[in-house]
Amino acid sequence: MTTRTLACSDATEALGRALAASAPERAVVFLEGDLGAGKTTLARAFLRELGVDGAVRSPTYTLIERYAVPRGEIAHLDLYRIADPDELEFLGLDDLAADAALWLIEWPERGGNALPRADLHVRLRVEGSGRSVTLRPGTEAGARWLAALAPPDVLHGP
């Protein structure tokens, strides 16, 4: 587990780009944190780094946005409006699991057991004028990903 300070939104975007640049071919990322913590900012930078052109919409109302990039399909989910995991049934997560190489899931705690296991947990918190981020692996692949990350110009802190 790694906890660091992100002084500004530029640092959050830099982390998103670094995560994307070092991401394994297939992975599930849980983006956790309160409203305004920077989950969507990080996800947008992640998606841009992997080649998403054009609008990168927040899936707050659509629940899911799918993006085709050279390395495969990416699914960006925002489960904030989900009251019960059973509501996810209509999203076709089984089909998505077969199609999407990378999943970015905001508010994963609302998806319960309907979601695949996270390779990496990214927990963002507002702290003063900046953010803190805690990166925690959920699988062995996530541990390898986290070990390969750590560029000193992206993550600042203790």
Side-chain angles (χ1 to χ4, degrees):
M1 183 167 67
T2 302
T3 300
R4 295 289 186 257
T5 299
L6 301 169
C8 60
S9 63
D10 289 346
T12 303
E13 291 173 7
L15 175 60
R17 289 190 303 273
L19 286 168
S22 61
E25 286 299 312
R26 298 190 68 80
V28 175
V29 180
F30 283 4
L31 300 171
E32 303 161 340
D34 292 332
L35 284 171
K39 297 178 299 293
T40 301
T41 297
L42 188 139
R44 281 188 178 123
F46 192 108
L47 292 163
R48 290 269 185 240
E49 180 68 19
L50 291 179
V52 173
D53 292 326
V56 176
R57 296 177 300 274
S58 172
T60 300
Y61 294 100
T62 59
L63 300 181
I64 185 168
E65 293 290 336
R66 296 169 83 157
Y67 300 94
V69 296
R71 67 182 287 171
E73 185 174 339
I74 302 172
H76 181 197
L77 290 81
D78 184 331
L79 306 182
Y80 180 73
R81 298 191 178 286
I82 295 295
D84 186 281
D86 290 339
E87 294 177 38
L88 295 176
E89 224 173 279
F90 75 93
L91 286 179
L93 295 182
D94 290 337
D95 293 335
L96 186 63
D99 296 338
L102 288 166
W103 296 44
L104 301 174
I105 305 172
E106 298 184 41
W107 300 95
E109 64 276 10
R110 296 179 184 234
N113 292 330
L115 298 175
R117 184 174 177 196
D119 295 294
L120 188 63
H121 296 261
V122 178
R123 179 98 164 112
L124 294 153
R125 290 182 189 85
V126 175
E127 287 193 0
S129 62
R131 307 283 185 269
S132 72
V133 62
T134 301
L135 304 169
R136 181 176 54 86
T139 64
E140 188 59 40
R144 287 190 300 273
W145 185 4
L146 186 55
L149 182 65
D153 59 329
V154 172
L155 297 175
H156 302 286

